Amino acid sequence: MPGPAGGWRDAAGAADDAMDGGAQQSGLREPPGAGGTEQEGDAGEGPPAADLRRSQPLFIQGSSRPPAEEEPRASSLPCIPNPFPELCSPSNSPILSSLPQGPPREGTCHLVKVFSEDGSCRSLEVSAGTTARQLCEMLVQRTHALHDHSWALVELHQHLALERCLEDHESVVEVQSAWPLGADSRFVFRKNFAKYELFKSNAQSLFPEVMVSSCLEANKSMAHSELIQNFLNSGSCPEVQGFLQLREAGRKVWKRFYFSLRRSGLYYSTKGTSKDPRHLQYFADLTESNIYYVTQGKKHYGTPTEFGFCIKPYKVRSGTKGLKLLCSEDEQSRTCWMAAFRLFKYGMQLYRNYQQAQARLSQPPWISPTALRSVSDNALVAMDFSGCTGRVIENPSEVLTAALEEAQAWRKKTTHRYSLPAACQTSPLSAAIHRTQPWFHGRISREDTQQLIGRQGLVDGVFLVRESQRNPKGFVLSLCHLQKVKHYLILPSEEEGRLYFTMDDGQTRFADLIQLVEFHQINRGILPCKLRHYCTCVAL
C-alpha cells in the first residue's frame, strides 16, 4: 500500500526534521562517529525509518552565543510582577523551607517573637548580629521596666520540657535558626537573678567543698573561698565531681554514676568513685553542646528527682534521640554543675559579660556620658524659716539639729499617711494600695509561687507577696533562702481602732504591706535574710 506507507514515511520524516531542528537550536550534537551517516541522510530524501538510531546518546554542549547577545532579549520582555512572592520565601514555602538553611547573613533583618511569662508576646525586627543583651535592652525600653542586668532571654522548648538562659553575647538569630521547623520553641523575656551570682562575694557557696575536693587536695595551702575566687578571676573552672543519675540511651532506666568534669571534658567512672583513667568513660563534649534545665522531668522523662538537666549537642535538632539526660540529688548539686558547665564552655567571656553589665548599671543610658557634678553639692544649703524671713544656717551643729527635726517631721507625716483608719471607716484606696506594687502577685497558689521563684533564680532574698489561700484576710510573704522557698503568714490585727499587719503575733506591726516590705528590705527582722529582689512579670 504505497499511499499509507508514503504517508507514514512523510510523517516520520517530518518528525525527524523537527527533532533535528530542535537539537540544533538547543546545542545538541551527535557523536563524531555518527556524523557522516547523519549528514548523508540530510542531503538526500532522508534515511528509512528502520535505520534511525533513536537510542544513541547525544553530546550536550554549551551555547556558543556570547552572553551579551541574550541580554537584549531578556530586557525586551515585559516585567511581570510575581503574584505569589510568599511562595518564593524559604521561611514560608513548604518546599524551600525543608532545605537546609545556612547561617544568617549580615545586614539582613529577621523577625523574632518574644513571649512574657503571662503569655503575651511582641514581634521585633532585628539584625543578624543582635545579641541577647541588646534584645533585652530593647524590651526594657518598650515595656518601661526597671533597667538592671537581671533581665534575661530564655530559650524554651516546650515539647522537650527544656529551657536555658541565653548568655549576653549570644546571637538571637543564630539560636532561632537552629530550631526545628514546626516545633513549639520560643523566647521568653523574664528575670534571672542567678545569672551572675558566680561573680558575687558568696561565689564559694556555689561550689561545695565536697564537689571540688580534688582541687583542694592539690592546693592544700589555699582556703576554699580563695581557691574558687582564683578560678573565677582567671576565667577557668575548677574540677568538679559528684554522683549523678544517668538515663541510658534508648531506655527509661536511670543508673547512678560518679561524674568528673575536667579540662578535657565530662567523664563518668565505670567502677565506683575511681579516678583511674582505665575506669573513666568519656561522656560529652560540652563545647559543641548546650546545657538545659529539665522543667518537668518526672512527667516527660521519669527522672528520679526534680533536679534534672540535659546536655543537647548542636547536631540534635529535634526529638529526644541524642539527648544526654542527667539528674542531681538536690538543687545545690545541680546549681554547681550548671555553673561549672557555663565556666567550662564560655570561660573569660562570661566575666566580660558581667563587667559590661555592671558598667551599664553604673552609667544608665539616659545620662550623658560626661560626668556632671551634682548641683546639690554647690547650690543647696540648710535654711531656717522659723522667722519672718529665711536665713542660711552656717553653724554645723545647728545644721545637724535642723536635719534631725526635719527627719522627725517627715516620719510623722509618713506614719500618718501609712496609718489606716478604723475598720468602719476603711478607705478602699488605702486597703488596696499594695495591689499596685510589682512584688504583689494576687491570688496565686503555693506551687505556682515556688515555680515562679525557681524560674527567676533561687537566690537569697528573692521574694513576692500574695494572698493567702487558707486565711481569706491574710497574706503570705514567700522568700528564697539557701535555694529553698519559705512562706511567712501575714495577719491583720486591730489595736485602738487602727488596722495593722504583723508576722510575729503583733510584736512588730506595720500600717500596710508596703511599709512591711520596705522595712524588711533594710532590716532582716524575723526573716533569715533581707528582701533583695522581688519577682515581677511584665506584659509585652
Side-chain angles (χ1 to χ4, degrees):
M1 301 288 289
W8 179 86
R9 188 181 299 111
D10 293 341
D16 293 338
D17 293 341
M19 292 179 63
D20 292 341
Q24 292 175 6
Q25 292 179 4
S26 61
L28 300 178
R29 296 291 185 269
E30 289 283 344
T37 307
E38 188 67 16
Q39 292 174 359
E40 294 176 359
D42 294 339
E45 296 180 357
D51 296 335
L52 291 176
R53 302 178 183 179
R54 299 184 182 276
S55 62
Q56 192 167 6
L58 301 177
F59 286 157
I60 301 178
Q61 299 179 359
S63 176
S64 60
R65 185 181 304 168
E69 298 180 4
E70 297 182 359
E71 292 182 0
R73 294 182 57 191
S75 61
S76 62
L77 295 176
C79 181
I80 303 175
N82 183 9
F84 305 104
E86 65 277 2
L87 296 181
C88 300
S89 173
S91 60
N92 297 325
S93 173
I95 299 177
L96 298 178
S97 60
S98 61
L99 299 177
Q101 303 179 13
R105 294 177 296 176
E106 293 291 338
T108 59
C109 292
H110 302 265
L111 194 64
V112 176
K113 182 179 288 188
V114 183
F115 290 80
S116 67
E117 290 187 296
D118 62 357
S120 61
C121 65
R122 180 187 289 265
S123 297
L124 300 173
E125 195 176 58
V126 300
S127 62
T130 302
T131 62
R133 170 48 50 189
Q134 293 171 347
L135 187 60
C136 286
E137 290 178 351
M138 293 171 56
L139 292 170
V140 166
Q141 294 177 2
R142 298 195 179 190
T143 58
H144 306 286
L146 183 63
H147 185 272
D148 57 17
H149 61 71
S150 59
W151 288 109
L153 201 64
V154 177
E155 178 189 6
L156 176 62
H157 301 285
Q158 292 183 326
H159 61 293
L160 297 176
L162 303 179
E163 68 175 36
R164 76 178 182 98
C165 176
L166 268 66
E167 304 297 343
D168 286 351
H169 66 276
E170 288 192 76
S171 172
V172 177
V173 178
E174 287 185 6
V175 174
Q176 183 175 258
S177 63
W179 293 350
L181 296 171
D184 191 8
S185 303
R186 60 176 59 180
F187 288 123
V188 179
F189 177 63
R190 71 182 184 214
K191 291 273 190 177
N192 183 11
F193 299 105
K195 183 165 59 172
Y196 290 125
E197 284 296 305
L198 278 170
F199 308 106
K200 302 295 179 63
S201 58
N202 57 346
Q204 64 272 10
S205 61
L206 295 176
F207 297 94
E209 294 186 13
V210 66
M211 298 188 69
V212 292
S213 58
S214 58
C215 294
L216 291 175
E217 293 175 1
N219 301 271
K220 296 182 179 180
S221 61
M222 302 179 69
H224 175 223
S225 58
E226 184 182 359
L227 177 67
I228 298 302
Q229 197 62 44
N230 287 345
F231 275 108
L232 296 178
N233 294 339
S234 62
S236 58
C237 173
E239 182 177 336
V240 179
Q241 62 275 333
F243 282 100
L244 290 173
Q245 298 277 353
L246 168 63
R247 183 181 179 181
E248 296 186 356
R251 301 179 62 186
K252 296 183 179 181
V253 179
W254 291 80
K255 288 189 176 181
R256 193 168 180 258
F257 291 96
Y258 192 77
F259 279 80
S260 296
L261 178 61
R262 300 185 173 184
R263 294 182 179 180
S264 55
L266 183 63
Y267 300 83
Y268 69 91
S269 177
T270 57
K271 187 177 181 180
T273 60
S274 174
K275 299 180 183 179
D276 193 313
R278 297 174 301 174
H279 303 145
L280 293 181
Q281 180 72 32
Y282 187 75
F283 182 69
D285 181 11
L286 300 181
T287 58
E288 297 295 327
S289 306
N290 284 324
I291 315 300
Y292 294 83
Y293 285 94
V294 179
T295 56
Q296 298 177 359
K298 290 188 176 181
K299 177 180 179 181
H300 286 79
Y301 306 105
T303 56
T305 66
E306 291 290 351
F307 313 110
F309 56 96
C310 171
I311 301 176
K312 183 175 180 290
Y314 292 156
K315 61 183 179 180
V316 178
R317 296 180 60 90
S318 61
T320 59
K321 187 177 181 180
L323 299 181
K324 300 180 182 297
L325 297 167
L326 299 168
C327 188
S328 301
E329 297 179 356
D330 51 31
E331 183 61 42
Q332 185 182 25
S333 173
R334 181 171 71 167
T335 302
C336 178
W337 283 108
M338 297 297 285
F341 291 153
R342 292 176 64 200
L343 285 173
F344 181 90
K345 183 174 181 180
Y346 300 108
M348 203 63 189
Q349 180 64 50
L350 214 58
Y351 186 65
R352 284 195 292 266
N353 292 346
Y354 171 70
Q355 288 181 319
Q356 293 172 4
Q358 291 295 104
R360 283 190 295 267
L361 281 182
S362 61
Q363 183 163 343
W366 56 84
I367 293 183
S368 173
T370 58
L372 298 178
R373 189 172 182 180
S374 175
V375 179
S376 61
D377 295 342
N378 303 325
L380 299 184
V381 294
M383 299 286 294
D384 179 18
F385 296 98
S386 58
C388 298
T389 59
R391 67 179 181 90
V392 177
I393 303 178
E394 298 180 355
N395 187 359
S397 59
E398 190 179 358
V399 170
L400 180 60
T401 303
L404 293 176
E405 292 178 355
E406 181 68 20
Q408 291 292 339
W410 177 86
R411 187 171 300 175
K412 290 179 180 179
K413 293 179 182 179
T414 305
T415 305
H416 178 72
R417 176 169 57 91
Y418 281 157
S419 298
L420 295 179
C424 58
Q425 302 175 357
T426 301
S427 172
L429 179 61
S430 300
I433 192 173
H434 55 268
R435 297 184 180 275
T436 62
Q437 302 303 308
W439 39 257
F440 185 75
H441 288 255
R443 194 170 184 81
I444 62 174
S445 64
R446 187 187 186 100
E447 292 75 16
D448 293 340
T449 299
Q450 297 190 168
Q451 292 179 8
L452 179 60
I453 295 179
R455 288 194 300 265
Q456 297 196 5
L458 292 175
V459 178
D460 287 356
V462 177
F463 75 98
L464 63 83
V465 179
R466 57 186 175 90
E467 296 180 2
S468 176
Q469 292 181 313
R470 298 181 179 179
N471 193 323
K473 295 183 180 181
F475 300 89
V476 177
L477 172 65
S478 299
L479 173 66
C480 177
H481 179 63
L482 298 179
Q483 298 179 339
K484 295 182 179 179
V485 181
K486 301 180 180 180
H487 307 274
Y488 299 88
L489 184 62
I490 305 173
L491 292 175
S493 63
E494 188 175 349
E495 183 177 347
E496 297 179 358
R498 295 187 180 275
L499 184 66
Y500 296 95
F501 294 91
T502 180
M503 292 191 299
D504 53 5
D505 296 331
Q507 295 183 9
T508 309
R509 296 168 296 181
F510 302 94
D512 56 18
L513 296 182
I514 296 179
Q515 195 179 48
L516 183 147
V517 169
E518 290 178 349
F519 174 83
H520 288 95
Q521 287 176 330
I522 303 174
N523 308 278
R524 192 181 71 176
I526 65 168
L527 302 177
C529 62
K530 298 178 184 179
L531 305 181
R532 294 174 53 198
H533 313 290
Y534 57 84
C535 288
T536 183
C537 301
V538 296
L540 298 176

